[in-house]
Amino acid sequence: MSDHSLSATPSDPARPAPRAGWFERLIYRSEAARGFGLLAPTLIFMLTVILVPFAILIVMSLWTAAGFDFDTSPTLNNYQQAFERPIYMALLGRSLYISAIATIATVVLCYPMAYYVAFHVHRNKMLWIVLMTLPFWTSYLLRVFAWKVVLGYEGVINSALMSVGLINEPLQFLLYSKEAVIITLAHAWAAFAILPIYVSLEKIDRSLLEAATDLGDGPAMRFLRITLPLSLPGVIAASLLIFIPTTGDYITPALLGGPDGAMIGNLIQKMFGPINNWPMGATLSIVLMVVITLICLLYVFILLLVRRKIS
């Protein structure tokens, strides 16, 4: 056997061929590139599903409704009307107000439940999570109708108050009001707040809390200096998961809001429905998306700044 054959080593099957192209070398050397390659089909599908309708909305917002037809000449008149007509800005402001109050109420009510399960339940945590989310296995529409029964003129609350003699006639402000919409939204989206907050609390290293105790911190300071800052990512996620969809909700305001609880989503739905003014509906949708994006970015920036200050 020749020296040349003895010195030869088997080729490494994991190493690319010497003449492999730049793309193959990039995939081989970069772990991020390999991960992106695995995610690429899903990302392409998601971006297509999101960007194509968004592009259609942008193009349609530049059109003008002409009876049952559209004038496709590009114009910004719809955006001008959206900011000049008081009804549009009033509904937008009311929608942001209702969604903000519902988001705050949901997070405040769900945080203690998530905290209790994360720190005080040591067995069967999954059972507790299932029990907390069990009411949300039913249809969203069914839960809205249930609150309509509870808050109705002859509903559960009015009947109970009248039976114990606290009121002589049913309370009329419970239903068809902003408060009814806020209560229903807070209940309907509670599961989307409990789970991310619980996950962020569960990830907190318990040794940090023990160290704070050894250094003399009481329960309140331990919560403010360690638990709350480390759980802010879950709070941010829960807030965004609730605020973004509830701002454009139109089912709950339509069933429980009445004239005082109508939101921008109801107007957009009518623009694409009975009014048949699709360009204005597209314009209001884009304005709503832009406003929500700016508010969410500002909200995340402020919370991250607060977290840094607390830490």
Side-chain angles (χ1 to χ4, degrees), residues 99-174:
S99 298
I101 298 300
T103 301
I104 294 173
T106 306
V107 172
V108 170
L109 291 175
C110 292
Y111 195 102
M113 291 188 288
Y115 181 90
Y116 177 80
V117 175
F119 286 94
H120 298 284
V121 175
H122 303 290
R123 298 179 59 185
N124 301 323
K125 285 191 176 184
M126 184 56 64
L127 177 62
W128 279 80
I129 296 174
V130 171
L131 291 176
M132 287 191 299
T133 59
L134 186 62
F136 310 103
W137 291 9
T138 58
S139 169
Y140 175 78
L141 190 60
L142 184 62
R143 296 198 299 271
V144 174
F145 274 114
W147 274 107
K148 190 172 184 179
V149 173
V150 172
L151 300 174
Y153 188 75
E154 297 180 354
V156 176
I157 294 180
N158 279 322
S159 300
L161 293 177
M162 292 179 64
S163 64
V164 298
L166 293 179
I167 58 175
N168 296 323
E169 58 182 13
L171 302 174
Q172 301 182 12
F173 65 87
L174 293 178

Side-chain angles (χ1 to χ4, degrees), residues 287-300:
V287 170
L288 178 62
M289 285 188 287
V290 171
V291 171
I292 290 176
T293 301
L294 295 177
I295 292 177
C296 291
L297 291 176
L298 180 62
Y299 169 75
V300 172

Side-chain angles (χ1 to χ4, degrees), residues 17-167:
R19 293 186 179 181
W22 64 269
F23 183 75
E24 288 80 359
R25 292 195 299 269
L26 176 64
I27 295 297
Y28 174 75
R29 295 176 181 176
S30 175
E31 183 178 354
R34 292 197 299 271
F36 179 78
L38 294 174
L39 291 174
T42 303
L43 289 176
I44 292 174
F45 174 77
M46 292 181 63
L47 290 176
T48 302
V49 172
I50 294 174
L51 294 179
V52 170
F54 186 69
I56 294 175
L57 280 180
I58 293 177
V59 173
M60 187 177 292
S61 68
L62 302 176
W63 296 352
T64 305
F68 292 97
D69 203 354
F70 301 136
D71 181 3
T72 58
S73 301
T75 179
L76 296 176
N77 289 337
N78 291 330
Y79 290 95
Q80 183 178 357
Q81 294 179 22
F83 289 100
E84 287 182 352
R85 290 190 177 181
I87 182 63
Y88 296 154
M89 291 296 101
L91 286 176
L92 178 60
R94 181 189 296 173
S95 301
L96 296 175
Y97 169 78
I98 291 177
S99 298
I101 298 300
T103 301
I104 294 173
T106 306
V107 172
V108 170
L109 291 175
C110 292
Y111 195 102
M113 291 188 288
Y115 181 90
Y116 177 80
V117 175
F119 286 94
H120 298 284
V121 175
H122 303 290
R123 298 179 59 185
N124 301 323
K125 285 191 176 184
M126 184 56 64
L127 177 62
W128 279 80
I129 296 174
V130 171
L131 291 176
M132 287 191 299
T133 59
L134 186 62
F136 310 103
W137 291 9
T138 58
S139 169
Y140 175 78
L141 190 60
L142 184 62
R143 296 198 299 271
V144 174
F145 274 114
W147 274 107
K148 190 172 184 179
V149 173
V150 172
L151 300 174
Y153 188 75
E154 297 180 354
V156 176
I157 294 180
N158 279 322
S159 300
L161 293 177
M162 292 179 64
S163 64
V164 298
L166 293 179
I167 58 175

